[in-house]
Amino acid sequence: MNRLTLALDVMGGDIGPRVTIPASIKALENDPMLSLLLFGDSQQIAPLLENLPSSILERLTVRHCSRTIANHQDLSYALRHSKGSSMRLAIEAVQKGEAQGCVSGGNTGALMGLSKILLQPLKGIERPALISMIPTMTGERSVMLDLGANIDCSAENLYQFALMGSIFAENQLGLVYPRIALLNIGIEEIKGYKSIRDASEMLKKNTALNYIGFIEGDLLLNGKADVIVNDGFVGNIALKTLEGAAKNVVSLVKGNATLQKTNHICKPLFAWLVKKLFLKGSFTRLKQINPDQYNGASLVGLTAVVVKSHGGANTDAFAYAIADAALQVRQQIPAKILAGLEKY
Amino acid sequence: MNRLTLALDVMGGDIGPRVTIPASIKALENDPMLSLLLFGDSQQIAPLLENLPSSILERLTVRHCSRTIANHQDLSYALRHSKGSSMRLAIEAVQKGEAQGCVSGGNTGALMGLSKILLQPLKGIERPALISMIPTMTGERSVMLDLGANIDCSAENLYQFALMGSIFAENQLGLVYPRIALLNIGIEEIKGYKSIRDASEMLKKNTALNYIGFIEGDLLLNGKADVIVNDGFVGNIALKTLEGAAKNVVSLVKGNATLQKTNHICKPLFAWLVKKLFLKGSFTRLKQINPDQYNGASLVGLTAVVVKSHGGANTDAFAYAIADAALQVRQQIPAKILAGLEKY
């Protein structure tokens, strides 16, 4: 492993430094080659750094800022008023080359918007996308994109998502020739939007990609495809529907019909489910699954690594998001996507 | 209750007469004012009608036909070769006034296509839609439309779906002033497609409708809205995703990761789930829920009642679909939608 520095927006997320700082310390403990730039309110951060060994402290720099972007702020307002905020400063650190990647649990729209402006899309990428891993019933993982960055997509956009998703899955899931599918309302060639059918034709022609055809909503979790491609509107609806259904069914099984709303596209789909079952202790098979590993989504198609942690992430989950960003930097995902674009 | 006649495509569905004929007999037993025209292969039908009392036989007419439309036939092929098929003859019986409504468990696309051609949309309705009930965690039911009849929808289309859904929910669910929501990727006004935002503005202006705003995918089952409105592409993806997630989660709980594909938009969402739990016998609370009641979807916006039963429906479920069609005819849903269009 090589040395690297990540910039963290430690104010983002529902809880802020009380989660992100212990998570940062954990990430530094687990990865001796990692350094972190922490952007946030030093008054809140300082007490959480007491009594740390020098081996950790020397790889950790606090950059004070008093401003934050609120979680549900309107995008254009957030962008206009982003100057000096912990999120923007973290991204700017990547822009300046002080860090090689960025992690935030804050406002997803603002993170995407600022990343696009400050870090720029890769040459040839029309639209960066939001990608996340989802668990499958076979015990493997799939990746799904776009999850909300682009609500209207051309065939070319979907084709590029497939390409980026394939490179991402190769590297992050260690797969050879990952199976790519387009989410559609049927598996016949005539189904769905013209953009999807055209993207299907483009993917068929590229023999370097392992395109397997259309997939329907009921098979999202069945491990039939490693890379599930869709526009951001449908992806967002499908992912949230999965999340809601998983919660509701578990609630039904547990006889508890009182449900709470959660409204975060990056919430790990099965975290709640798996935890509940895990805590119940009666489903030992599930102990192998760690829901924290499904924390967060990544922006792909940018010149640098940006990871969006779930706003409600706990310490372990945020530490996973940091480790995930570090892995993506070391695997040079942006450079590989760029090379893939040129190759395919 | 007044007398009425329904036309049945008894060849549709995965099993055909062995399900649809016992279901027809059951429906006739339960509804003494109902008569049925049965379209199908008389050789297959006759043995199933033996030893029936005259009180049933006299309300049942078999119209022999040897042709059927295959389940997964391409739509344009199916329409071109539909002449003389059980499905088409059943719809034609409605067109000629011999029956007041039609039920089929056959090819959904063909049923929609033929119904649009033969029965015509109501005056003022641009696009008929496919509507279905979904269970909620609060024990109530919601209706959702469109589920696949129209993949690209204008604001006007969505507005009309909301109107039709509201009238449908008022009558079929016995609700006063049903709460209408548009499925979207966020609840803020700026979210989603322009068509959805424009439909939202149109709905807000109509104070006769109880429009409550946007709803996200994770709350589909939570009973927050009585009428969930979306275009057919998103509706189909969301409903199948719900169905798949419910199955997979139950499978996870049961420790069985071997899953089968089901590919029917009209499959009752929770039928499988509830049955499994019911059969296990350990969740007595769920005995109150009858999954057969969620069988099928209805075409709304046509001049007559057309109900699509799930292809895999059992006898009870198909009998429910017949009773559902009878209820819609008696409640004069098409006329009420037409009046609603003129009123609003």
Side-chain angles (χ1 to χ4, degrees):
Chain A
M1 290 201 293
N2 46 343
R3 287 203 174 279
L4 69 95
T5 303
L6 295 176
L8 266 50
D9 165 19
V10 300
M11 306 308 285
D14 302 344
I15 297 170
R18 280 184 297 124
V19 158
T20 57
I21 298 301
S24 301
I25 294 165
K26 191 162 201 160
L28 291 170
E29 284 168 351
N30 292 339
D31 183 348
M33 305 299 272
L34 177 68
S35 296
L36 295 175
L37 298 179
L38 309 181
F39 291 86
D41 180 352
S42 57
Q43 281 209 305
Q44 288 182 58
I45 297 170
L48 298 162
L49 297 177
E50 279 171 17
N51 305 321
L52 282 179
S54 64
S55 61
I56 297 294
L57 273 178
E58 67 192 11
R59 291 184 284 132
L60 180 161
T61 309
V62 177
R63 300 269 183 93
H64 174 73
C65 58
S66 52
R67 300 192 58 188
T68 59
I69 294 175
N71 247 349
H72 293 287
Q73 216 158 53
D74 171 73
L75 178 60
S76 59
Y77 180 92
L79 294 183
R80 279 199 312 276
H81 296 80
S82 61
K83 217 168 174 181
S85 66
S86 55
M87 183 190 287
R88 179 164 186 143
L89 289 173
I91 300 170
E92 284 176 347
V94 180
Q95 186 190 29
K96 290 176 195 162
E98 295 177 330
Q100 287 83 59
C102 168
V103 181
S104 172
N107 185 320
T108 309
L111 186 66
M112 292 189 295
L114 287 172
S115 298
K116 272 199 243 183
I117 295 166
L118 298 171
L119 301 180
Q120 297 285 312
L122 287 165
K123 189 167 177 282
I125 289 288
E126 284 183 31
R127 310 243 198 121
L130 201 55
I131 190 168
S132 188
M133 290 191 199
I134 59 172
T136 72
M137 300 305 291
T138 55
E140 311 296 320
R141 290 179 290 176
S142 304
V143 299
M144 189 168 173
L145 75 167
D146 175 38
L147 298 173
N150 312 281
I151 65 166
D152 249 327
C153 293
S154 67
E156 178 71 25
N157 296 150
L158 294 171
Y159 175 82
Q160 290 194 342
F161 294 168
L163 180 69
M164 294 194 289
S166 182
I167 294 168
F168 193 89
E170 263 175 40
N171 287 277
Q172 295 297 96
L173 302 180
L175 297 175
V176 176
Y177 212 46
R179 297 159 302 165
I180 302 166
L182 289 164
L183 184 59
N184 202 345
I185 59 171
I187 54 170
E188 303 84 2
E189 284 190 6
I190 52 155
K191 293 276 183 172
Y193 297 129
K194 186 167 186 304
S195 57
I196 298 175
R197 298 196 307 268
D198 289 350
S200 180
E201 292 305 314
M202 292 169 72
L203 288 167
K204 274 183 203 160
K205 281 180 195 147
N206 187 340
T207 51
L209 295 175
N210 186 8
Y211 173 63
I212 59 168
F214 297 142
I215 192 170
E216 293 182 77
D218 55 343
L219 293 190
L220 283 180
L221 299 180
N222 291 41
K224 301 280 179 195
D226 304 306
V227 181
I228 297 157
V229 177
N230 38 250
D231 70 49
F233 190 91
V234 168
N236 183 291
I237 297 280
L239 192 64
K240 282 185 189 155
T241 299
L242 274 178
E243 188 184 312
K247 275 191 213 168
N248 283 335
V249 172
V250 171
S251 159
L252 197 66
V253 172
K254 289 172 65 75
N256 169 17
T258 312
L259 294 162
Q260 303 234 321
K261 165 148 179 56
T262 57
N263 176 19
H264 299 284
I265 60 165
C266 302
K267 173 136 190 186
L269 168 62
F270 271 124
W272 186 89
L273 162 67
V274 172
K275 269 189 195 159
K276 288 289 178 189
L277 295 175
F278 177 82
L279 289 175
K280 273 183 90 182
S282 55
F283 299 93
T284 48
R285 197 175 69 85
L286 291 169
K287 286 187 180 168
Q288 303 146 13
I289 303 178
N290 182 346
D292 295 332
Q293 291 179 338
Y294 297 100
N295 178 36
S298 302
L299 289 172
V300 285
L302 295 168
T303 58
V305 171
V306 179
V307 169
K308 165 70 177 73
S309 165
H310 175 231
N314 63 17
T315 300
D316 282 351
F318 198 83
Y320 264 107
I322 298 171
D324 184 24
L327 183 63
Q328 289 184 46
V329 170
R330 289 196 173 108
Q331 289 177 328
Q332 303 182 292
I333 298 285
K336 282 182 181 156
I337 288 173
L338 189 60
L341 276 173
E342 286 163 3
K343 185 171 138 201
Y344 304 131
Chain B
M1 289 201 296
N2 47 343
R3 288 202 173 279
L4 70 95
T5 302
L6 295 177
L8 266 53
D9 164 19
V10 299
M11 306 307 286
D14 301 344
I15 296 169
R18 281 183 297 125
V19 159
T20 56
I21 298 301
S24 300
I25 296 166
K26 192 163 201 157
L28 291 169
E29 284 168 352
N30 292 340
D31 184 347
M33 305 299 272
L34 177 67
S35 296
L36 295 176
L37 299 178
L38 310 180
F39 292 86
D41 181 351
S42 58
Q43 281 210 303
Q44 289 183 56
I45 298 170
L48 298 162
L49 297 177
E50 282 172 14
N51 305 321
L52 283 178
S54 63
S55 63
I56 296 295
L57 272 179
E58 67 191 13
R59 290 185 284 130
L60 179 161
T61 308
V62 178
R63 299 268 181 95
H64 174 72
C65 59
S66 52
R67 301 191 57 188
T68 58
I69 294 175
N71 246 348
H72 293 288
Q73 217 158 52
D74 170 73
L75 178 59
S76 59
Y77 179 92
L79 294 183
R80 280 199 312 276
H81 297 80
S82 61
K83 218 169 176 181
S85 66
S86 55
M87 183 190 286
R88 181 166 185 143
L89 289 172
I91 299 170
E92 284 175 349
V94 180
Q95 186 189 30
K96 291 175 193 162
E98 295 176 330
Q100 288 83 60
C102 167
V103 181
S104 172
N107 185 319
T108 309
L111 186 67
M112 290 190 296
L114 287 172
S115 298
K116 272 200 243 182
I117 295 165
L118 299 170
L119 301 179
Q120 298 283 315
L122 287 165
K123 191 169 176 280
I125 288 289
E126 285 181 33
R127 308 244 196 121
L130 200 56
I131 189 169
S132 189
M133 292 191 199
I134 60 173
T136 72
M137 300 305 292
T138 54
E140 311 295 321
R141 290 179 291 175
S142 303
V143 299
M144 187 168 174
L145 76 168
D146 176 38
L147 299 174
N150 312 281
I151 65 166
D152 247 329
C153 293
S154 67
E156 177 71 26
N157 295 150
L158 294 171
Y159 175 81
Q160 290 194 343
F161 295 168
L163 180 68
M164 294 194 289
S166 182
I167 294 167
F168 193 90
E170 261 175 41
N171 287 276
Q172 296 296 95
L173 303 180
L175 297 175
V176 177
Y177 213 44
R179 298 159 299 165
I180 301 166
L182 289 164
L183 183 59
N184 202 346
I185 59 171
I187 53 171
E188 302 85 1
E189 284 190 6
I190 52 154
K191 292 275 183 173
Y193 297 129
K194 185 166 187 305
S195 56
I196 298 175
R197 299 196 307 268
D198 289 351
S200 179
E201 291 307 313
M202 291 169 73
L203 287 166
K204 273 183 204 161
K205 282 180 192 146
N206 187 340
T207 51
L209 295 175
N210 185 7
Y211 173 63
I212 61 168
F214 298 142
I215 190 170
E216 293 182 78
D218 56 344
L219 293 190
L220 284 179
L221 300 180
N222 291 42
K224 300 282 178 194
D226 304 307
V227 181
I228 297 157
V229 177
N230 37 251
D231 70 49
F233 189 91
V234 169
N236 183 290
I237 297 281
L239 192 63
K240 282 186 189 156
T241 299
L242 274 178
E243 189 185 313
K247 277 192 213 167
N248 283 336
V249 172
V250 171
S251 159
L252 197 66
V253 172
K254 289 172 65 72
N256 169 17
T258 312
L259 294 162
Q260 304 232 322
K261 163 147 181 56
T262 56
N263 176 21
H264 299 283
I265 60 168
C266 302
K267 172 138 192 180
L269 169 62
F270 270 124
W272 187 91
L273 161 67
V274 172
K275 271 190 193 156
K276 288 288 180 192
L277 295 175
F278 177 81
L279 290 174
K280 274 185 86 182
S282 55
F283 299 92
T284 48
R285 197 176 69 85
L286 291 169
K287 286 187 182 168
Q288 303 145 13
I289 304 179
N290 181 348
D292 296 332
Q293 292 178 339
Y294 296 101
N295 179 35
S298 302
L299 289 171
V300 287
L302 295 167
T303 57
V305 171
V306 179
V307 169
K308 165 70 177 74
S309 164
H310 176 231
N314 62 17
T315 300
D316 282 352
F318 198 82
Y320 264 108
I322 299 171
D324 184 24
L327 182 63
Q328 289 185 46
V329 171
R330 291 197 172 104
Q331 288 176 330
Q332 303 182 292
I333 299 286
K336 282 184 180 154
I337 289 174
L338 188 62
L341 275 174
E342 285 162 3
K343 186 170 138 201
Y344 304 132

